[in-house]
Protein backbone atom coordinates (compact mmCIF):
# COMPACT_ATOMS: atom_id res chain seq x y z
CA UNK A 1 0.00 0.00 0.00
CA UNK A 2 1.36 3.41 -0.96
CA UNK A 3 1.94 5.68 2.04
CA UNK A 4 -0.20 8.85 2.14
CA UNK A 5 1.57 12.16 1.71
CA UNK A 6 0.01 13.53 4.89
CA UNK A 7 -1.49 11.85 7.94
CA UNK A 8 -3.92 14.04 9.88
CA UNK A 9 -4.64 12.98 13.46
CA UNK A 10 -8.12 14.07 14.53
CA UNK A 11 -11.16 15.11 12.51
CA UNK A 12 -12.45 18.43 13.85
CA UNK A 13 -13.14 21.40 11.58
CA UNK A 14 -9.45 22.30 11.20
CA UNK A 15 -8.47 18.76 10.29
CA UNK A 16 -11.26 18.46 7.72
CA UNK A 17 -10.45 21.83 6.14
CA UNK A 18 -6.77 20.91 5.97
CA UNK A 19 -7.53 17.53 4.39
CA UNK A 20 -9.86 19.01 1.78
CA UNK A 21 -7.43 21.81 0.88
CA UNK A 22 -4.43 19.48 0.57
CA UNK A 23 -6.50 17.08 -1.53
CA UNK A 24 -7.34 19.92 -3.91
CA UNK A 25 -3.60 20.23 -4.67
CA UNK A 26 -3.30 16.54 -5.51
CA UNK A 27 -1.88 15.38 -2.18
CA UNK A 28 -2.95 12.03 -0.81
CA UNK A 29 -4.32 12.51 2.71
CA UNK A 30 -5.25 10.03 5.44
CA UNK A 31 -7.45 11.26 8.33
CA UNK A 32 -7.37 9.14 11.49
CA UNK A 33 -10.09 9.53 14.12
CA UNK A 34 -10.09 7.66 17.43
CA UNK A 35 -13.89 7.84 17.90
CA UNK A 36 -16.52 5.97 15.94
CA UNK A 37 -17.35 9.09 13.93
CA UNK A 38 -15.60 12.18 12.60
CA UNK A 39 -16.33 15.73 13.70
CA UNK A 40 -14.55 16.68 16.91
CA UNK A 41 -16.97 19.17 18.53
CA UNK A 42 -19.53 18.66 15.77
CA UNK A 43 -21.92 15.83 16.61
CA UNK A 44 -25.60 15.34 15.77
CA UNK A 45 -27.82 12.80 17.52
CA UNK A 46 -31.40 12.12 18.60
CA UNK A 47 -30.53 12.36 22.29
CA UNK A 48 -33.90 13.30 23.79
CA UNK A 49 -36.76 11.69 21.85
CA UNK A 50 -37.22 10.06 18.42
CA UNK A 51 -37.40 12.62 15.61
CA UNK A 52 -35.72 15.41 17.59
CA UNK A 53 -32.34 16.13 15.97
CA UNK A 54 -29.84 17.87 18.24
CA UNK A 55 -26.37 19.27 17.63
CA UNK A 56 -24.84 17.97 20.83
CA UNK A 57 -21.96 20.45 21.02
CA UNK A 58 -21.27 23.12 18.36
CA UNK A 59 -24.26 24.36 16.39
CA UNK A 60 -23.68 27.85 14.93
CA UNK A 61 -21.43 28.37 11.89
CA UNK A 62 -21.08 32.12 11.41
CA UNK A 63 -17.29 31.83 11.75
CA UNK A 64 -17.20 29.17 9.04
CA UNK A 65 -19.32 30.91 6.42
CA UNK A 66 -17.27 34.11 6.86
CA UNK A 67 -13.91 32.29 6.70
CA UNK A 68 -11.33 31.95 3.90
CA UNK A 69 -11.83 28.19 4.18
CA UNK A 70 -15.49 28.47 3.24
CA UNK A 71 -14.66 30.86 0.41
CA UNK A 72 -12.38 28.16 -0.99
CA UNK A 73 -14.52 25.09 -0.24
CA UNK A 74 -18.12 26.30 0.00
CA UNK A 75 -19.25 25.53 -3.55
CA UNK A 76 -17.75 22.05 -3.46
CA UNK A 77 -19.29 21.32 -0.07
CA UNK A 78 -22.66 22.47 -1.43
CA UNK A 79 -22.29 19.90 -4.23
CA UNK A 80 -22.03 17.31 -1.48
CA UNK A 81 -25.26 18.43 0.17
CA UNK A 82 -24.24 21.21 2.57
CA UNK A 83 -27.00 23.76 3.13
CA UNK A 84 -27.38 26.43 5.82
CA UNK A 85 -30.50 27.79 7.49
CA UNK A 86 -30.70 31.42 8.57
CA UNK A 87 -32.80 33.89 10.53
CA UNK A 88 -32.87 37.67 10.33
CA UNK A 89 -32.49 37.86 14.14
CA UNK A 90 -29.22 36.14 15.02
CA UNK A 91 -28.98 37.15 18.67
CA UNK A 92 -30.66 38.89 21.54
CA UNK A 93 -30.67 39.23 25.32
CA UNK A 94 -33.38 38.77 27.94
CA UNK A 95 -32.88 40.02 31.50
CA UNK A 96 -34.65 38.90 34.71
CA UNK A 97 -36.93 41.95 34.73
CA UNK A 98 -38.10 41.19 31.19
CA UNK A 99 -36.12 43.93 29.47
CA UNK A 100 -34.67 42.65 26.22
CA UNK A 101 -32.97 43.58 22.98
CA UNK A 102 -32.78 41.83 19.63
CA UNK A 103 -30.13 42.25 16.95
CA UNK A 104 -31.08 41.85 13.30
CA UNK A 105 -28.99 41.56 10.16
CA UNK A 106 -30.06 45.09 9.17
CA UNK A 107 -27.68 47.72 10.56
CA UNK A 108 -30.01 50.62 10.00
CA UNK A 109 -32.80 48.82 11.84
CA UNK A 110 -30.42 47.96 14.69
CA UNK A 111 -29.43 51.60 15.08
CA UNK A 112 -33.08 52.61 15.31
CA UNK A 113 -34.05 49.88 17.78
CA UNK A 114 -31.08 50.42 20.09
CA UNK A 115 -31.67 54.17 20.04
CA UNK A 116 -35.20 53.43 21.24
CA UNK A 117 -33.76 51.56 24.22
CA UNK A 118 -31.41 54.43 25.07
CA UNK A 119 -30.76 57.65 23.09
CA UNK A 120 -27.55 57.45 21.05
CA UNK A 121 -26.80 53.81 21.95
CA UNK A 122 -27.86 52.77 18.45
CA UNK A 123 -25.64 55.41 16.88
CA UNK A 124 -22.74 54.16 19.00
CA UNK A 125 -23.43 50.61 17.84
CA UNK A 126 -23.30 51.77 14.24
CA UNK A 127 -19.98 53.44 14.96
CA UNK A 128 -18.53 50.32 16.61
CA UNK A 129 -19.40 47.87 13.84
CA UNK A 130 -18.48 50.53 11.28
CA UNK A 131 -15.01 50.75 12.82
CA UNK A 132 -14.61 46.97 12.47
CA UNK A 133 -15.68 47.23 8.84
CA UNK A 134 -13.22 50.05 8.13
CA UNK A 135 -10.36 48.18 9.78
CA UNK A 136 -11.30 44.74 8.45
CA UNK A 137 -8.11 44.34 6.42
CA UNK A 138 -5.87 44.73 9.46
CA UNK A 139 -8.11 42.96 11.98
CA UNK A 140 -8.92 39.89 9.95
CA UNK A 141 -5.38 39.76 8.60
CA UNK A 142 -4.15 39.35 12.17
CA UNK A 143 -7.04 37.19 13.38
CA UNK A 144 -6.79 34.78 10.48
CA UNK A 145 -3.31 35.09 8.99
CA UNK A 146 -0.04 33.29 9.65
CA UNK A 147 1.64 35.71 12.07
CA UNK A 148 5.24 34.69 11.46
CA UNK A 149 5.10 35.28 7.72
CA UNK A 150 6.05 37.74 5.01
CA UNK A 151 2.40 38.64 4.21
CA UNK A 152 1.77 39.64 7.84
CA UNK A 153 5.03 41.59 7.99
CA UNK A 154 4.02 43.39 4.81
CA UNK A 155 0.53 44.04 6.22
CA UNK A 156 1.92 45.63 9.39
CA UNK A 157 4.50 47.66 7.49
CA UNK A 158 1.80 48.94 5.15
CA UNK A 159 -0.47 49.88 8.05
CA UNK A 160 2.40 51.67 9.81
CA UNK A 161 3.09 53.64 6.61
CA UNK A 162 -0.58 54.47 6.04
CA UNK A 163 -1.53 55.35 9.62
CA UNK A 164 1.84 56.33 11.03
CA UNK A 165 3.63 54.19 13.64
CA UNK A 166 2.14 56.04 16.61
CA UNK A 167 -1.42 55.79 15.34
CA UNK A 168 -0.94 52.09 14.61
CA UNK A 169 0.32 51.60 18.16
CA UNK A 170 -2.72 53.51 19.46
CA UNK A 171 -5.03 51.26 17.44
CA UNK A 172 -3.40 48.14 18.87
CA UNK A 173 -3.66 49.56 22.38
CA UNK A 174 -7.35 50.30 21.89
CA UNK A 175 -7.85 46.70 20.76
CA UNK A 176 -6.67 45.50 24.19
CA UNK A 177 -9.49 47.26 26.08
CA UNK A 178 -11.60 44.78 28.10
CA UNK A 179 -15.29 44.40 27.29
CA UNK A 180 -16.25 46.07 30.57
CA UNK A 181 -14.17 49.12 29.70
CA UNK A 182 -15.69 49.31 26.23
CA UNK A 183 -19.30 48.75 27.28
CA UNK A 184 -19.29 51.06 30.29
CA UNK A 185 -17.71 53.97 28.42
CA UNK A 186 -19.76 53.54 25.24
CA UNK A 187 -23.34 52.52 26.11
CA UNK A 188 -25.69 54.04 28.67
CA UNK A 189 -28.27 51.24 28.67
CA UNK A 190 -27.70 48.18 30.87
CA UNK A 191 -29.73 46.16 28.37
CA UNK A 192 -27.49 47.11 25.45
CA UNK A 193 -24.44 46.29 27.56
CA UNK A 194 -26.08 42.97 28.39
CA UNK A 195 -26.57 42.27 24.68
CA UNK A 196 -22.80 42.08 24.11
CA UNK A 197 -21.29 41.09 27.45
CA UNK A 198 -22.09 37.35 27.13
CA UNK A 199 -20.48 37.06 23.72
CA UNK A 200 -16.97 37.33 25.14
CA UNK A 201 -17.63 33.97 26.82
CA UNK A 202 -17.93 32.36 23.39
CA UNK A 203 -14.37 33.44 22.67
CA UNK A 204 -13.08 31.80 25.85
CA UNK A 205 -12.71 35.16 27.62
CA UNK A 206 -14.32 37.09 30.46
CA UNK A 207 -15.52 40.70 30.38
CA UNK A 208 -12.49 41.90 32.36
CA UNK A 209 -9.93 40.19 30.10
CA UNK A 210 -7.75 42.27 27.80
CA UNK A 211 -8.88 42.17 24.14
CA UNK A 212 -12.40 41.01 25.09
CA UNK A 213 -13.88 44.35 24.00
CA UNK A 214 -12.40 44.09 20.52
CA UNK A 215 -13.43 40.47 20.03
CA UNK A 216 -16.98 41.35 21.10
CA UNK A 217 -17.06 44.10 18.46
CA UNK A 218 -15.80 41.65 15.84
CA UNK A 219 -18.56 39.20 16.84
CA UNK A 220 -21.15 41.98 16.67
CA UNK A 221 -19.98 42.82 13.16
CA UNK A 222 -20.02 39.17 12.06
CA UNK A 223 -23.49 38.46 13.46
CA UNK A 224 -24.94 41.57 11.84
CA UNK A 225 -23.27 40.78 8.53
CA UNK A 226 -23.79 37.02 8.31
CA UNK A 227 -26.28 36.02 11.01
CA UNK A 228 -26.00 32.85 13.10
CA UNK A 229 -26.58 30.05 10.58
CA UNK A 230 -27.01 26.38 11.41
CA UNK A 231 -26.63 23.41 9.09
CA UNK A 232 -29.88 22.12 7.61
CA UNK A 233 -30.55 18.73 9.13
CA UNK A 234 -27.79 19.09 11.72
CA UNK A 235 -24.01 19.53 11.77
CA UNK A 236 -23.71 15.88 10.69
CA UNK A 237 -24.55 17.05 7.16
CA UNK A 238 -21.52 19.34 7.17
CA UNK A 239 -19.41 16.34 8.17
CA UNK A 240 -20.97 14.21 5.43
CA UNK A 241 -20.18 16.93 2.88
CA UNK A 242 -16.56 17.12 4.03
CA UNK A 243 -16.23 13.36 3.95
CA UNK A 244 -17.60 13.24 0.42
CA UNK A 245 -15.29 16.01 -0.75
CA UNK A 246 -12.18 14.54 0.87
CA UNK A 247 -12.84 11.11 -0.65
CA UNK A 248 -13.59 12.72 -4.02
CA UNK A 249 -10.15 14.30 -3.88
CA UNK A 250 -8.45 10.99 -3.22
CA UNK A 251 -8.33 11.18 0.56
CA UNK A 252 -9.12 8.45 3.06
CA UNK A 253 -10.83 8.64 6.45
CA UNK A 254 -10.56 5.97 9.11
CA UNK A 255 -12.60 5.99 12.33
CA UNK A 256 -11.94 3.84 15.40
CA UNK A 257 -8.27 4.49 14.62
CA UNK A 258 -6.77 5.68 17.92
CA UNK A 259 -3.30 7.12 17.37
CA UNK A 260 -1.16 6.20 20.38
CA UNK A 261 2.13 7.74 19.29
CA UNK A 262 4.12 9.62 16.65
CA UNK A 263 6.84 7.63 14.90
CA UNK A 264 10.11 9.46 14.23
CA UNK A 265 12.87 8.39 11.86
CA UNK A 266 16.15 10.29 11.71
CA UNK A 267 14.74 13.20 13.71
CA UNK A 268 11.69 13.56 11.47
CA UNK A 269 8.05 12.49 11.95
CA UNK A 270 7.59 9.55 9.61
CA UNK A 271 4.23 8.15 10.65
CA UNK A 272 2.02 7.14 13.54
CA UNK A 273 1.49 4.11 15.75
CA UNK A 274 -2.10 3.09 16.46
CA UNK A 275 -3.34 1.68 19.76
CA UNK A 276 -3.95 -1.57 17.90
CA UNK A 277 -0.20 -1.85 17.27
CA UNK A 278 -0.42 -0.97 13.58
CA UNK A 279 2.11 1.52 12.22
CA UNK A 280 1.10 3.84 9.38
CA UNK A 281 3.81 5.70 7.47
CA UNK A 282 3.56 9.19 5.96
CA UNK A 283 5.55 10.16 2.86
CA UNK A 284 5.73 13.83 3.87
CA UNK A 285 4.10 15.05 7.07
CA UNK A 286 2.11 14.20 10.18
CA UNK A 287 -0.44 16.84 11.23
CA UNK A 288 -2.04 16.70 14.69
CA UNK A 289 -5.28 18.45 15.56
CA UNK A 290 -5.03 18.15 19.32
CA UNK A 291 -4.30 20.02 22.52
CA UNK A 292 -0.68 20.46 23.65
CA UNK A 293 -1.40 17.96 26.42
CA UNK A 294 -2.30 15.32 23.87
CA UNK A 295 0.43 16.12 21.35
CA UNK A 296 3.42 16.64 23.60
CA UNK A 297 2.21 14.29 26.31
CA UNK A 298 0.35 11.24 25.11
CA UNK A 299 1.51 11.19 21.47
CA UNK A 300 5.17 12.23 21.82
CA UNK A 301 5.92 11.51 25.47
CA UNK A 302 9.63 11.28 26.16
CA UNK A 303 10.40 12.07 22.52
CA UNK A 304 8.80 15.53 22.74
CA UNK A 305 11.16 18.53 22.54
CA UNK A 306 12.19 19.52 26.05
CA UNK A 307 11.04 23.12 25.61
CA UNK A 308 7.57 22.01 24.45
CA UNK A 309 7.23 19.58 27.35
CA UNK A 310 8.05 22.34 29.81
CA UNK A 311 5.69 24.80 28.11
CA UNK A 312 2.87 22.23 28.18
CA UNK A 313 3.19 21.97 31.95
CA UNK A 314 2.32 25.66 32.31
CA UNK A 315 -0.30 25.75 29.53
CA UNK A 316 -3.64 26.78 31.00
CA UNK A 317 -7.08 25.47 30.11
CA UNK A 318 -10.16 27.62 30.51
CA UNK A 319 -13.62 27.29 31.98
CA UNK A 320 -15.69 24.22 31.29
CA UNK A 321 -18.86 24.11 29.23
CA UNK A 322 -22.26 22.77 30.29
CA UNK A 323 -24.92 21.77 27.76
CA UNK A 324 -28.65 21.12 28.08
CA UNK A 325 -30.96 19.95 25.29
CA UNK A 326 -34.76 19.93 25.30
CA UNK A 327 -37.44 18.30 23.22
CA UNK A 328 -40.66 20.34 23.56
CA UNK A 329 -44.21 19.61 22.48
CA UNK A 330 -44.60 23.17 21.19
CA UNK A 331 -42.41 26.24 20.53
CA UNK A 332 -41.57 28.26 23.66
CA UNK A 333 -43.88 31.15 24.51
CA UNK A 334 -41.29 33.77 25.47
CA UNK A 335 -42.26 36.69 27.67
CA UNK A 336 -40.92 39.19 25.16
CA UNK A 337 -41.90 40.20 21.64
CA UNK A 338 -39.77 38.88 18.79
CA UNK A 339 -37.73 36.43 20.88
CA UNK A 340 -39.23 33.32 19.28
CA UNK A 341 -37.16 33.73 16.09
CA UNK A 342 -33.82 34.61 17.71
CA UNK A 343 -31.12 32.08 16.86
CA UNK A 344 -29.02 32.55 20.02
CA UNK A 345 -30.68 34.28 22.99
CA UNK A 346 -28.71 35.05 26.14
CA UNK A 347 -30.41 34.99 29.53
CA UNK A 348 -28.39 37.12 31.95
CA UNK A 349 -28.81 39.89 34.52
CA UNK A 350 -26.30 41.91 32.47
CA UNK A 351 -22.65 42.86 32.42
CA UNK A 352 -22.21 42.45 36.17
CA UNK A 353 -24.07 39.14 36.05
CA UNK A 354 -21.73 37.79 33.38
CA UNK A 355 -18.73 39.03 35.33
CA UNK A 356 -19.95 37.46 38.58
CA UNK A 357 -20.75 34.06 37.04
CA UNK A 358 -17.49 34.03 35.13
CA UNK A 359 -15.48 34.82 38.26
CA UNK A 360 -17.30 32.14 40.25
CA UNK A 361 -16.55 29.50 37.62
CA UNK A 362 -12.89 30.49 37.43
CA UNK A 363 -12.69 30.06 41.21
CA UNK A 364 -14.18 26.57 40.97
CA UNK A 365 -17.70 27.48 42.09
CA UNK A 366 -20.98 26.57 40.44
CA UNK A 367 -22.35 29.99 39.42
CA UNK A 368 -25.36 31.13 41.40
CA UNK A 369 -26.91 32.71 38.28
CA UNK A 370 -25.24 31.22 35.20
CA UNK A 371 -25.25 32.96 31.85
CA UNK A 372 -27.44 30.83 29.58
CA UNK A 373 -27.22 30.85 25.80
CA UNK A 374 -30.43 29.46 24.30
CA UNK A 375 -30.38 28.22 20.73
CA UNK A 376 -33.68 27.64 18.92
CA UNK A 377 -32.79 25.38 15.97
CA UNK A 378 -36.43 24.66 15.14
CA UNK A 379 -36.96 28.36 14.38
CA UNK A 380 -34.32 28.20 11.64
CA UNK A 381 -34.69 24.58 10.53
CA UNK A 382 -38.13 23.01 11.09
CA UNK A 383 -36.76 19.66 9.87
CA UNK A 384 -34.98 19.26 13.23
CA UNK A 385 -38.17 18.06 14.97
CA UNK A 386 -41.73 16.84 14.26
CA UNK A 387 -44.17 19.44 12.98
CA UNK A 388 -45.47 21.73 15.69
CA UNK A 389 -42.76 20.66 18.15
CA UNK A 390 -39.54 22.41 19.16
CA UNK A 391 -36.01 21.83 20.40
CA UNK A 392 -33.76 24.00 22.53
CA UNK A 393 -29.95 23.98 22.63
CA UNK A 394 -28.58 25.46 25.85
CA UNK A 395 -24.96 26.33 26.50
CA UNK A 396 -23.69 27.50 29.89
CA UNK A 397 -20.14 28.74 29.18
CA UNK A 398 -19.21 29.35 32.83
CA UNK A 399 -18.87 25.90 34.36
CA UNK A 400 -15.99 24.95 36.67
CA UNK A 401 -13.73 22.17 35.48
CA UNK A 402 -12.95 21.20 39.08
CA UNK A 403 -15.75 21.96 41.55
CA UNK A 404 -14.78 23.50 44.87
CA UNK A 405 -18.26 24.50 45.92
CA UNK A 406 -21.53 26.21 45.04
CA UNK A 407 -21.75 30.00 44.91
CA UNK A 408 -25.40 29.73 45.97
CA UNK A 409 -24.54 27.47 48.90
CA UNK A 410 -27.25 24.97 47.96
CA UNK A 411 -25.53 22.19 45.99
CA UNK A 412 -22.97 19.93 47.60
CA UNK A 413 -19.74 19.35 45.69
CA UNK A 414 -18.06 15.96 45.49
CA UNK A 415 -15.06 15.52 47.78
CA UNK A 416 -12.82 15.00 44.72
CA UNK A 417 -14.27 17.99 42.83
CA UNK A 418 -15.71 15.85 40.05
CA UNK A 419 -19.03 16.09 38.27
CA UNK A 420 -21.47 13.40 39.38
CA UNK A 421 -24.72 12.57 37.60
CA UNK A 422 -26.67 13.89 40.60
CA UNK A 423 -24.80 17.20 40.61
CA UNK A 424 -25.15 17.54 36.85
CA UNK A 425 -28.93 17.18 36.99
CA UNK A 426 -29.21 19.50 40.00
CA UNK A 427 -27.25 22.19 38.18
CA UNK A 428 -29.41 21.66 35.08
CA UNK A 429 -32.43 22.22 37.35
CA UNK A 430 -30.95 25.61 38.34
CA UNK A 431 -30.70 26.63 34.70
CA UNK A 432 -34.17 25.28 33.97
CA UNK A 433 -35.66 27.41 36.73
CA UNK A 434 -34.25 30.53 35.06
CA UNK A 435 -35.58 29.39 31.70
CA UNK A 436 -39.03 28.67 33.14
CA UNK A 437 -39.29 32.22 34.48
CA UNK A 438 -39.04 33.55 30.93
CA UNK A 439 -41.35 31.10 29.11
CA UNK A 440 -45.07 30.70 29.77
CA UNK A 441 -45.86 27.16 30.95
CA UNK A 442 -42.41 25.92 30.01
CA UNK A 443 -42.25 22.84 32.22
CA UNK A 444 -45.58 21.55 30.88
CA UNK A 445 -44.12 21.56 27.35
CA UNK A 446 -41.06 19.40 28.12
CA UNK A 447 -41.00 16.01 26.45
CA UNK A 448 -37.42 15.18 27.46
CA UNK A 449 -34.21 16.80 28.72
CA UNK A 450 -30.59 15.76 28.29
CA UNK A 451 -27.71 17.49 30.12
CA UNK A 452 -23.95 17.20 29.63
CA UNK A 453 -21.44 18.29 32.26
CA UNK A 454 -17.88 19.35 31.41
CA UNK A 455 -16.81 15.81 32.33
CA UNK A 456 -19.34 14.33 29.89
CA UNK A 457 -18.04 16.55 27.09
CA UNK A 458 -14.43 15.55 27.77
CA UNK A 459 -15.49 11.89 27.71
CA UNK A 460 -16.79 12.42 24.17
CA UNK A 461 -13.71 14.35 23.03
CA UNK A 462 -10.38 14.08 24.88
CA UNK A 463 -9.34 17.48 23.51
CA UNK A 464 -12.03 19.17 25.62
CA UNK A 465 -9.83 19.21 28.71
CA UNK A 466 -12.08 19.72 31.72
CA UNK A 467 -14.88 20.51 29.28
CA UNK A 468 -13.00 23.52 27.86
CA UNK A 469 -14.23 23.78 24.24
CA UNK A 470 -11.66 26.42 23.27
CA UNK A 471 -8.49 24.33 23.39
CA UNK A 472 -7.07 26.33 26.31
CA UNK A 473 -7.47 29.73 27.88
CA UNK A 474 -7.70 32.43 25.22
CA UNK A 475 -6.36 35.31 27.31
CA UNK A 476 -3.94 37.55 25.47
CA UNK A 477 -0.85 35.76 26.85
CA UNK A 478 -2.04 32.55 25.16
CA UNK A 479 -3.21 34.11 21.89
CA UNK A 480 -1.75 35.35 18.61
CA UNK A 481 2.08 35.06 18.66
CA UNK A 482 1.91 33.20 21.95
CA UNK A 483 -0.53 30.41 21.08
CA UNK A 484 -0.04 27.81 22.27
CA UNK A 485 3.38 28.72 23.70
CA UNK A 486 5.38 31.90 24.11
CA UNK A 487 8.00 30.63 21.65
CA UNK A 488 5.55 29.10 19.14
CA UNK A 489 6.10 29.82 15.46
CA UNK A 490 2.95 29.33 13.41
CA UNK A 491 2.12 25.59 13.43
CA UNK A 492 5.61 24.18 13.84
CA UNK A 493 6.43 21.78 16.67
CA UNK A 494 10.21 21.64 16.79
CA UNK A 495 10.15 18.28 14.99
CA UNK A 496 10.59 18.17 11.22
CA UNK A 497 7.53 16.97 9.37
CA UNK A 498 5.25 17.31 12.43
CA UNK A 499 2.70 20.12 12.55
CA UNK A 500 0.14 21.24 15.11
CA UNK A 501 -3.34 22.57 14.26
CA UNK A 502 -6.64 22.94 16.10
CA UNK A 503 -8.18 25.31 18.65
CA UNK A 504 -4.98 25.34 20.72
CA UNK A 505 -3.10 27.00 17.86
CA UNK A 506 -3.49 30.35 16.10
CA UNK A 507 -6.03 31.67 15.19
CA UNK A 508 -7.62 29.83 18.11
CA UNK A 509 -11.03 28.39 18.81
CA UNK A 510 -14.18 28.56 16.74
CA UNK A 511 -15.53 26.83 13.65
CA UNK A 512 -13.62 28.88 11.09
CA UNK A 513 -11.11 26.15 10.24
CA UNK A 514 -8.38 28.80 10.31
CA UNK A 515 -5.38 26.76 11.44
CA UNK A 516 -6.15 23.93 9.03
CA UNK A 517 -6.52 26.41 6.18
CA UNK A 518 -3.27 28.22 7.02
CA UNK A 519 -1.22 25.04 7.30
CA UNK A 520 -2.64 23.61 4.07
CA UNK A 521 -1.61 26.81 2.31
CA UNK A 522 1.92 26.50 3.68
CA UNK A 523 2.29 22.82 2.77
Amino acid sequence: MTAPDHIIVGSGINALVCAAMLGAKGAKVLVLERNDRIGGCMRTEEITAPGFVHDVMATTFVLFITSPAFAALGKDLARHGLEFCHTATPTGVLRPDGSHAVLTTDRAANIVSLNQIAPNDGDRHGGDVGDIERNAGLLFGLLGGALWSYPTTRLMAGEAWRRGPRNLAAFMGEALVPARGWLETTYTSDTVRALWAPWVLHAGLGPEDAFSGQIAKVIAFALEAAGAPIVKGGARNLLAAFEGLIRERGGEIRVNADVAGIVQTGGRASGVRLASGETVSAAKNVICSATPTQLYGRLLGKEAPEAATKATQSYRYGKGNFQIHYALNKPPAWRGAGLDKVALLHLTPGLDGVSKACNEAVRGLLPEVPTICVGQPHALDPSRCPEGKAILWLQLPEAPRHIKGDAAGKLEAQADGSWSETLREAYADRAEAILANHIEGFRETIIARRAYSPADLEAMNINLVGGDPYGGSSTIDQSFLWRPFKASRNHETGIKGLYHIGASTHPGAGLGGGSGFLLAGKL
Side-chain angles (χ1 to χ4, degrees):
M1 178 180 176
T2 304
D5 295 309
H6 309 281
I7 292 175
I8 300 180
V9 181
S11 63
I13 188 69
N14 288 287
L16 297 175
V17 165
C18 192
M21 295 295 296
L22 290 172
K25 298 297 184 181
K28 185 177 180 182
V29 181
L30 170 63
V31 177
L32 298 174
E33 169 55 53
R34 73 191 303 264
N35 290 322
D36 62 357
R37 70 195 77 184
I38 64 171
C41 286
M42 297 172 288
R43 179 186 291 229
T44 305
E45 293 182 279
E46 295 184 11
I47 54 174
T48 54
F52 291 81
V53 178
H54 300 268
D55 285 338
V56 178
M57 291 182 274
T59 192
T60 303
F61 288 85
V62 60
L63 292 181
F64 185 58
I65 67 168
T66 56
S67 71
F70 184 71
L73 300 171
K75 290 182 179 179
D76 290 311
L77 291 171
R79 286 194 298 105
H80 287 275
L82 176 61
E83 185 177 347
F84 289 101
C85 298
H86 299 264
T87 175
T89 50
T91 193
V93 66
L94 177 58
R95 302 172 66 211
D97 63 1
S99 59
H100 59 277
V102 174
L103 185 87
T104 75
T105 52
D106 183 331
R107 185 175 303 174
N110 291 331
I111 292 172
V112 170
S113 67
L114 296 182
N115 275 338
Q116 290 173 345
I117 294 174
N120 300 317
D121 274 11
D123 296 321
R124 295 184 183 108
H125 165 77
D128 281 335
V129 292
D131 283 343
I132 298 298
E133 194 167 48
R134 284 186 291 274
N135 291 288
L138 175 57
L139 284 170
F140 293 106
L142 294 176
L143 287 169
L147 297 180
W148 291 101
S149 67
Y150 175 70
T152 298
T153 301
R154 185 176 59 188
L155 170 67
M156 294 305 293
E159 290 293 331
W161 177 264
R162 183 170 67 87
R163 300 169 187 255
R166 192 65 192 88
N167 287 335
L168 178 60
F171 175 84
M172 302 301 286
E174 186 66 27
L176 295 177
V177 172
R180 178 177 289 279
W182 162 54
L183 292 170
E184 289 187 334
T185 59
T186 304
Y187 299 102
T188 59
S189 166
D190 287 336
T191 300
V192 176
R193 292 173 182 172
L195 177 64
W196 297 119
W199 275 104
V200 305
L201 303 173
H202 298 279
L205 296 170
E208 280 75 43
D209 286 328
F211 189 65
S212 59
Q214 187 77 333
I215 202 65
K217 294 178 190 178
V218 169
I219 291 171
F221 170 76
L223 289 168
E224 190 176 80
I230 62 175
V231 179
K232 185 174 183 178
R236 62 187 177 190
N237 289 339
L238 171 67
L239 301 178
F242 262 113
E243 184 170 4
L245 181 58
I246 290 167
R247 295 190 187 282
E248 178 183 88
R249 292 177 172 180
E252 181 184 354
I253 297 174
R254 290 175 59 181
V255 297
N256 296 311
D258 185 11
V259 175
I262 306 297
V263 177
Q264 298 184 56
T265 304
R268 181 182 181 87
S270 58
V272 299
R273 184 182 67 261
L274 303 185
S276 64
E278 178 187 359
T279 296
V280 184
S281 298
K284 294 183 179 179
N285 301 295
V286 176
I287 301 164
C288 291
S289 183
T291 63
T293 307
Q294 290 297 317
L295 176 56
Y296 297 106
R298 187 173 70 95
L299 299 182
L300 284 169
K302 295 180 180 179
E303 295 184 348
E306 183 179 353
T309 299
K310 184 177 180 180
T312 299
Q313 293 169 354
S314 59
Y315 187 75
R316 306 188 319 280
Y317 290 94
K319 300 179 294 295
N321 214 256
F322 193 101
Q323 297 261 336
I324 312 174
H325 302 270
Y326 286 97
L328 306 178
N329 62 23
K330 66 177 183 179
W334 292 99
R335 295 188 174 104
L339 300 180
D340 57 324
K341 298 299 183 184
V342 174
L344 295 172
L345 177 67
H346 286 109
L347 310 182
T348 176
L351 173 58
D352 287 344
V354 173
S355 180
K356 179 176 181 291
C358 185
N359 180 266
E360 289 166 348
V362 167
R363 291 186 290 122
L365 302 178
L366 295 166
E368 181 178 16
V369 182
T371 304
I372 303 173
C373 180
V374 183
Q376 304 185 90
H378 65 277
L380 285 72
D381 179 12
S383 74
R384 296 286 189 99
C385 57
E387 186 175 358
K389 311 300 183 183
I391 60 174
L392 294 182
W393 173 97
L394 270 64
Q395 182 185 54
L396 284 66
E398 307 143 329
R401 293 167 33 235
H402 180 85
I403 307 168
K404 298 178 182 178
D406 178 23
K410 296 179 180 178
L411 304 180
E412 187 173 347
Q414 299 274 102
D416 62 357
S418 64
W419 282 90
S420 67
E421 182 177 341
T422 300
L423 189 57
R424 180 192 68 201
E425 296 306 315
Y427 192 59
D429 289 342
R430 176 173 295 176
E432 184 174 298
I434 295 172
L435 194 61
N437 283 336
H438 290 294
I439 300 173
E440 294 284 351
F442 176 68
R443 288 194 170 97
E444 288 70 35
T445 68
I446 299 173
I447 297 172
R449 181 183 86 180
R450 179 72 178 271
Y452 294 89
S453 73
D456 295 326
L457 298 177
E458 184 175 8
M460 287 190 284
N461 184 337
I462 59 174
N463 289 308
L464 303 183
V465 179
D468 174 7
Y470 303 112
S473 172
S474 299
T475 51
I476 196 66
D477 64 297
Q478 284 194 175
S479 297
F480 295 103
L481 295 173
W482 311 291
R483 192 166 186 88
F485 307 140
K486 304 301 181 288
S488 293
R489 184 180 176 88
N490 296 331
H491 301 97
E492 298 172 5
T493 63
I495 298 174
K496 292 181 180 179
L498 178 64
Y499 294 94
H500 188 194
I501 61 173
S504 299
T505 69
H506 180 73
L511 295 173
S515 62
F517 180 82
L518 289 172
L519 182 61
K522 170 185 170 63
L523 298 180

